[in-house]
């Protein structure tokens, strides 16, 4: 078994783990457990991104998905009860059908992906090679990923920062407008 096959085996393992966590999130009624499992989901997704050599995406997923999102969801839980209201079985089955269809589509598409590290893959023949060739002369920094994120895709990265900032401000406003802090002072 060569390195590419081992990596692909890990990709399948990560996908199965994500599937089981998704099923557990559907079944659980305890919101704290759901929030924690979504954080675990993000960490496994980050590990999968590392396996796919997308370290920058993995860092973002770990920071935003497992870090900030988990903290924001825990803060939002302060405004709600710790248990979800019972739902009908139809909603569970509908969610399972949608998730199964999406998972089947992902598994179907996985077979069409190029082998990891293949010289003829789009990542090694398309715009990625152009970035590698142009970065030393246009940006003059050694890290191509940083050049792409901060320069070539700078507006995209700035937009992502604005979205995360707006989400954080929104949650902070929701927590402040609830009057929870004022009630706490009154007691």
């Amino acid at each position: 078994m060569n390195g590419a096959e081992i990596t692909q085996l890990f990709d399948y393992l990560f996908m199965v783990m994500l599937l089981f966590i998704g099923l557990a999130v559907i079944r659980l009624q305890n919101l704290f457990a759901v929030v924690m499992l979504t954080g675990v989901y993000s960490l496994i997704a980050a590990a999968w991104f590392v396996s796919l050599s997308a370290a920058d995406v993995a860092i973002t997923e770990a920071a935003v998905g497992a870090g900030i999102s988990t903290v924001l969801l825990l803060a939002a839980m302060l405004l709600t009860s710790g248990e979800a209201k019972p739902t009908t079985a139809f909603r569970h089955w509908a969610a399972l059908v949608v998730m199964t269809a999406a998972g089947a589509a992902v598994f179907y598409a996985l077979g069409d992906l190029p082998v990891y590290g293949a010289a003829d893959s789009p990542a090694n023949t398309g715009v990625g090679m152009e970035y590698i060739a142009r970065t030393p002369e246009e940006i003059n920094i050694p890290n191509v990923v940083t050049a792409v994120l901060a320069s070539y895709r700078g507006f995209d990265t700035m937009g992502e920062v604005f979205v995360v900032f707006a989400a954080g401000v929104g949650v902070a406003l929701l927590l402040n407008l609830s009057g929870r802090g004022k009630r706490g002072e009154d007691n």
Side-chain angles (χ1 to χ4, degrees):
M1 186 176 281
N2 61 24
E5 291 172 340
I6 291 173
T7 300
Q8 195 161 24
L9 188 66
F10 271 104
D11 291 343
Y12 290 131
L13 177 66
F14 288 137
M15 292 176 76
V16 169
M17 291 170 71
L18 293 175
L19 177 67
F20 279 111
I21 291 174
L23 290 172
V25 167
I26 290 173
R27 298 293 305 158
L28 287 173
Q29 297 291 316
N30 185 304
L31 295 180
F32 180 77
V34 169
V35 170
M36 290 295 107
L37 275 181
T38 55
V40 171
Y41 185 96
S42 292
L43 285 177
I44 292 173
W48 188 18
F49 291 138
V50 169
S51 168
L52 296 172
S53 296
D56 56 325
V57 179
I59 291 170
T60 303
E61 179 64 32
V64 175
I68 294 172
S69 295
T70 302
V71 170
L72 293 179
L73 288 173
L74 288 174
M77 272 185 52
L78 295 174
L79 302 174
T80 65
S81 65
E83 296 288 326
K85 292 179 182 174
T87 58
T88 62
F90 172 77
R91 290 188 68 186
H92 289 290
W93 285 107
L96 181 62
V97 167
V98 169
M99 191 183 75
T100 302
V106 169
F107 275 105
Y108 177 75
L110 193 60
D112 292 336
L113 290 176
V115 176
Y116 175 75
D120 60 342
S121 69
N124 292 331
T125 58
V127 70
M129 297 307 292
E130 189 172 333
Y131 284 139
I132 290 173
R134 292 172 52 182
T135 294
E137 59 189 59
E138 291 181 355
I139 310 295
N140 198 21
I141 59 173
N143 190 326
V144 177
V145 174
T146 302
V148 170
L149 291 178
S151 182
Y152 293 117
R153 293 182 50 206
F155 287 119
D156 183 44
T157 303
M158 184 174 67
E160 293 168 355
V161 170
F162 285 152
V163 168
V164 171
F165 178 73
V169 169
V171 170
L173 286 174
L174 285 174
L175 292 174
N176 255 353
L177 293 178
S178 71
R180 185 176 180 87
K182 190 174 182 179
R183 281 194 303 258
E185 292 173 2
D186 293 342
N187 293 334

